[in-house]
Amino acid sequence: MTGPVGPIAHGTPEFRRLTLAMLFAGFSTFSLLYAAQPLLPLFSVEYGVSAEGASLAVSMATGPLAIGILVAGLVSDRVGRRPLMVAAMLSAGVLTLAAAFAPGWVALLVLRFLTGLALAGVPAVAMAYVAEEVDAASVGSAMGLYIAGSALGGMGGRLIASLVADIGGWRWAIGAVGLAGVVMGETFRRLAPRSRRFVPAQGRVGALMVQAGALFRDRALPLLFAESFLLMGAFVTVYNYAGYRLLAAPYHLSQSAVGAVFLLYVLGSASSAWFGGLAGRIGRRRVFWVPVMLLIAGLGIAAARPLALVVIGIAVVTVGFFGAHSIASAWTGRRAGAARGLGAALYLFFYYAGSSVLGSAGGFAWTHGGWPGVTLFCLGLAAMALIVALLLARVAPLEQAATPATVPEA
C-alpha cells in the first residue's frame, strides 16, 4: 500500500479525480466494445461476408469479454485494481487503433478478439476499485459516474463511428474511436488515485468454486442468469441488424442517420432509473414481467413498414430491455448476498455471452428471413424471457426460503 490508509471522502480533490476517471473508464470501455456495431453493413460490402459473418466483429469482442470477466477479478486480487484497469484501457485503445489498419477480415477479427479480452479488466474490477478506495457513503455517486460513462460510451462510440464512416469509411471510424480510447486510457492513468487500501489476496480459487456452486443452487439466481442471456441476445440482435434494414430499400438512410438511432440509448438510461425505483417500491417480482412485455411490444411495432414505427418500436425495445436489465442486475446483487461480487461476474458472463452467441445467431435469421426473421427470432427469445420472469415471480423471498445469501427480501 502507498500513502494513507483512510478512504477517499466526498468533496476532496482525490474524490473529484477518481469520479472523473471512472467516467472516462466507462465511456472508453463501451465505446471501444460496440463501435463496430453500426459498421456491420460496411464490413459485409468490403469483405463479402453475410450479416451473421459481419456480426463477428461484435461477437468476437463480447465473447472473450464474457470469459475474461470471470478471470480478471482473480488477477486484480493479486496485481491490484488500478494497474489492471490502466493496462486494459490502454491496450484496448491501441488494439482498436491497430484494427483500422487490419490487412484483412481475419486480422480484424483477431484484433477485435484481443480488444474484448483486454476490456474485461475494466467492468470486472471497477466496482471493487471504487468500493476499496472510497468512503462507503460516497460509493454510490462514484459508481454513478462510471455507469453514466458506460451508457454514454455505448451510445457515443456507435454514433461517432457512424458519423466518421459516412465521411471517410469504416477504417477512419475505427481509428477515431481507437485514438479516443488511447487518450481516455492515458487520462484515466493520470487522474485515478493510486490504490491506498488494496491488499493482495491469495488462494481464493477454491473458495470461489464453492461460492459459485452455492449461487447455482439458489432458486432465483440461475433464472436471473438466463434472463441476462436471453434479453441481451434479443436486444443486441435488434441493433445488430437494424442497420442492414435501414440502409436498404425502402428507407435508404445514410450511415449517419442509422447511427443516430443509437441516441435512443438515452431512453434506456431513464428507463433503468424509473423501473429500478418502481421495483424498489412495489417489489421486483411484481414488476419484472412489465419491461419484458414492453420489449415484446416494441418488437411487434418495429416489424411495421413505416419508418416512424420502426424507430418507435426500437425505442420501446430499448426502454423494455434497460428496464428489465436494471431490475435483474440489482436483484442478482441482492440475492447473492456476501457473494455479490461473484454473482455480478456470473451475471455479466451470461449477459455478454448472450450478446456474442445470440447476436451472431440472429444473423442467420436476417440472412434467411430478413427483418421478419429477426423479429421472430427475437420474439422467441423474449417469450422465453417472459416465462422465466413468471417463474421468478414464484420464487420465495430469502426470508422465506433457505438460500446461499442472507439479505432480506430479494
Side-chain angles (χ1 to χ4, degrees), residues 311-394:
V311 174
I312 290 171
I314 295 175
V316 175
V317 166
T318 303
V319 169
F321 168 75
F322 277 101
H325 172 48
S326 68
I327 296 172
S329 57
W331 199 346
T332 298
R334 292 279 290 172
R335 191 83 188 186
R340 63 177 57 90
L342 179 59
L346 288 169
Y347 179 89
L348 290 175
F349 168 78
F350 285 100
Y351 182 85
Y352 289 114
S355 173
S356 179
V357 176
L358 298 179
S360 286
F364 287 95
W366 167 261
T367 299
H368 299 288
W371 193 255
V374 169
T375 300
L376 288 175
F377 176 77
C378 292
L379 282 173
L381 298 178
M384 287 188 283
L386 181 60
I387 293 171
V388 174
L390 296 176
L391 292 174
L392 278 165
R394 302 180 65 182

Side-chain angles (χ1 to χ4, degrees), residues 11 20 53 65 71 88 113 137 201 210 212 227 243 292 295 339 354 359 372 376 387-388 396 398:
L20 187 57
L65 174 67
V71 179
F113 177 91
V210 172
E227 289 287 42
V292 178
L295 190 151
L376 288 175
I387 293 171
V388 174
L398 289 175

